[in-house]
Every structure is written in C-alpha cells, then in structure tokens.
Amino acid sequence: MYIRFLIPINFEPYTLNAINYSSLLAEKFQGEITLLHVFTPYFDENEETDDNHKRLSTIEDTYNELENIKDQTIKDFNNPNITIKTKVIEGYPEDAIPLFCTDYSPDLIVMGTKSKGETIKELLGSVTLDIIRNVNFPVLAVPTDYDLNLNKLNNILFLTDFCKGEYTSLHKLVRLTMSFNTVIHNVQYHPEGKEKADVNLLNEYLEYCATTYRNQKMEAEFIYGDDVLQAATEYIKNTDIDLLAITRKKRNVISKLLHPSITKTMLFNIDIPMLFFHQ
C-alpha cells in the first residue's frame, strides 16, 4: 500500500520531529514523504527565531536547507521503500498549505507541535490549528517531546459516536495503522450515564467492525462522567493509549474537544499524538 505524507516544515525542532514520526510510519508501507516549506518574506532579515536560528532570507537558501534535511533523512532511514521529495512555495502557511493539499491530496498531513507551557497559539501553533480546520485530509499533530517509539503503537483511542457517519474515518484509521499489531478502542462519551447509553447502537457498530475488519483487533465501549475531557484523559491513562483519533464534525459532543481552550487542556494532560479526521 502506498501512502503519501505531507510534512510542513519551518526548520524549528518541533516541526522536524514530524519527519522522524512520518519516516517510521512510511517504513510500514511504500511511502512518499513531501517536505513542504512555505516561504514568507520578512522585512527584517536579521530577525531570529525562538531557538536563535536565523530565518532563511531567500527561496534559494530555503530550498538548499530543505534539501539538506532530505539528504539527512534518507541517510538516517536508508529505506528504499521511502521516496522523499521537497517543495518550496511562497505565501502564508495558513493559506498556502491548504491550497497545496488540494493538488497533492495527501493521505496524511503530519504537523509537529510545541511543548507544554506555551499559550494556545504557541502550543499547537496557529498554523496547525488553521490546517486542522481548513483541510479535508487527515492531520496528525505530534508533540515535540513525544517519546517516539512506533514499535509501541499498541493502543489507539478513536473517540466516536458509533454512527454510520464515522465509518469513513474508521476506515482511514485502519488503513493507516493496519501494519501495526494494535488495538483500536472505539469509545463513545455519554454524558447522561450508563443507563442512558444506547447498547444497540454499540452492538451494531461492533458487528460492522467484526465483519469489515476481520484481521483488526477492535473494542467498543462507553465512557461516562461530568466532563468529556476528564473521562477521555482517564481512559487514555488507564488504557495506555498511544494515539488519539477524533473526527471533526459539527454539532456533536466530540467536536467540543476541538475548541482551542479545551484542546489546550487536553494537551496539558496527555502527551500523545492526536489524529484529526474530517467529515
């Protein structure tokens, strides 16, 4: 299976970490990785980044730096199944990346994110938030301090409504993770407690999973509590979840997780990658 990864790069360490994650993912497939940098001219060429690295002042310098990163990645992973390309375009990232995605159609966009202790704009990066909201392709946000070990992709939490509308996202999730010996925990948060949960809906969902994904380990259950974030965080810790997947859609309780302040709270409590699908 051939998977196309798009990694937006701004040369900061937190975005470069996304290359490592994507490269290891690509080893499980025949993979193509495109390293994309959006070049935005700056008025002050001496302006420095947070990590005291000078901003690259010309497209040529940017392209050369991106090629250096490509060469180092190829050397580090030495895998003939991985094709690595580079692309430099001009504009503003929040506008240029979605436009590039329209033509490129990536299977997965991988965005590196900053560490805890930042404001919400710095934590996810305003560009990451914009990309999550404005593209129709899966987006994976990888924290810079995440302990990268793809041999330990044992448990994935898919927060779902158990409705048929989620089947498309589930199919994409299985496709991306089918090469790993992992368990997908399909979990619905029910704010009104166990007695109000629709067991028939859960059983119908489980039956679909059993007949459609015979070789994929699946579990399905409800979680309860006064707060969806607290319930999800407790489940993540108790079940040793390695990846959290959510479908972005309107008018459901899961969509509340995507509000910036709540997303910030979630990332302050867990340090695992978050995968966003779109519906």
Side-chain angles (χ1 to χ4, degrees), residues 63 127 131 148 183 190 196 200 206 214 226 253 269 278:
Y63 179 78
V127 173
I131 299 309
L148 187 64
V183 179
H190 206 290
K196 296 290 185 178
N200 291 330
L206 270 176
R214 298 179 185 276
D226 296 330
V253 68
N269 287 277
H278 303 271

Side-chain angles (χ1 to χ4, degrees), residues 154-160 162 170 173 182-188 205 216-221 235 238-245:
N154 297 327
N155 295 288
I156 297 173
L157 171 57
F158 180 39
L159 284 175
T160 176
F162 293 146
L170 179 61
L173 178 61
T182 187
V183 179
I184 297 178
H185 300 259
N186 301 272
V187 172
Q188 183 190 90
Y205 186 90
Q216 173 64 57
K217 298 176 183 177
M218 293 277 192
E219 294 184 3
E221 59 186 299
Y235 189 92
N238 294 337
T239 318
D240 195 22
I241 296 296
D242 303 301
L243 173 68
L244 169 63

Side-chain angles (χ1 to χ4, degrees), residues 105-246:
S105 296
D107 294 292
L108 184 65
I109 304 167
V110 186
M111 307 283 294
T113 64
K114 288 189 177 182
S115 303
K116 295 181 191 178
E118 312 289 347
T119 67
I120 184 58
K121 282 286 188 180
E122 293 169 329
L123 181 66
L124 274 177
S126 59
V127 173
T128 301
L129 286 172
D130 287 336
I131 299 309
I132 289 171
R133 291 169 180 157
N134 296 326
V135 301
N136 293 320
F137 304 95
V139 179
L140 177 64
V142 182
T144 189
D145 292 332
Y146 176 67
D147 185 14
L148 187 64
N149 180 7
L150 284 182
N151 292 320
K152 188 190 169 295
L153 193 60
N154 297 327
N155 295 288
I156 297 173
L157 171 57
F158 180 39
L159 284 175
T160 176
D161 285 340
F162 293 146
C163 64
K164 291 183 179 179
E166 295 275 18
Y167 291 174
T168 300
S169 295
L170 179 61
H171 179 70
K172 292 178 181 178
L173 178 61
V174 172
R175 181 171 180 262
L176 287 170
T177 61
M178 63 188 300
S179 297
F180 301 89
N181 184 24
T182 187
V183 179
I184 297 178
H185 300 259
N186 301 272
V187 172
Q188 183 190 90
Y189 168 72
H190 206 290
E192 298 180 11
K194 186 175 181 179
E195 63 280 0
K196 296 290 185 178
D198 189 344
V199 178
N200 291 330
L201 186 62
L202 181 147
N203 290 334
E204 180 181 342
Y205 186 90
L206 270 176
E207 182 178 354
Y208 171 82
C209 291
T211 56
T212 307
Y213 308 110
R214 298 179 185 276
N215 297 320
Q216 173 64 57
K217 298 176 183 177
M218 293 277 192
E219 294 184 3
E221 59 186 299
F222 295 100
I223 55 176
Y224 312 98
D226 296 330
D227 180 79
V228 60
L229 281 172
Q230 182 179 354
T233 301
E234 289 178 358
Y235 189 92
I236 287 167
K237 291 180 179 179
N238 294 337
T239 318
D240 195 22
I241 296 296
D242 303 301
L243 173 68
L244 169 63
I246 304 172

Side-chain angles (χ1 to χ4, degrees), residues 73-88:
T73 303
I74 292 173
K75 179 180 178 181
D76 289 344
F77 290 92
N78 190 28
N79 190 318
N81 290 328
I82 302 175
T83 301
I84 302 179
K85 300 180 178 180
T86 58
K87 182 72 174 180
V88 178

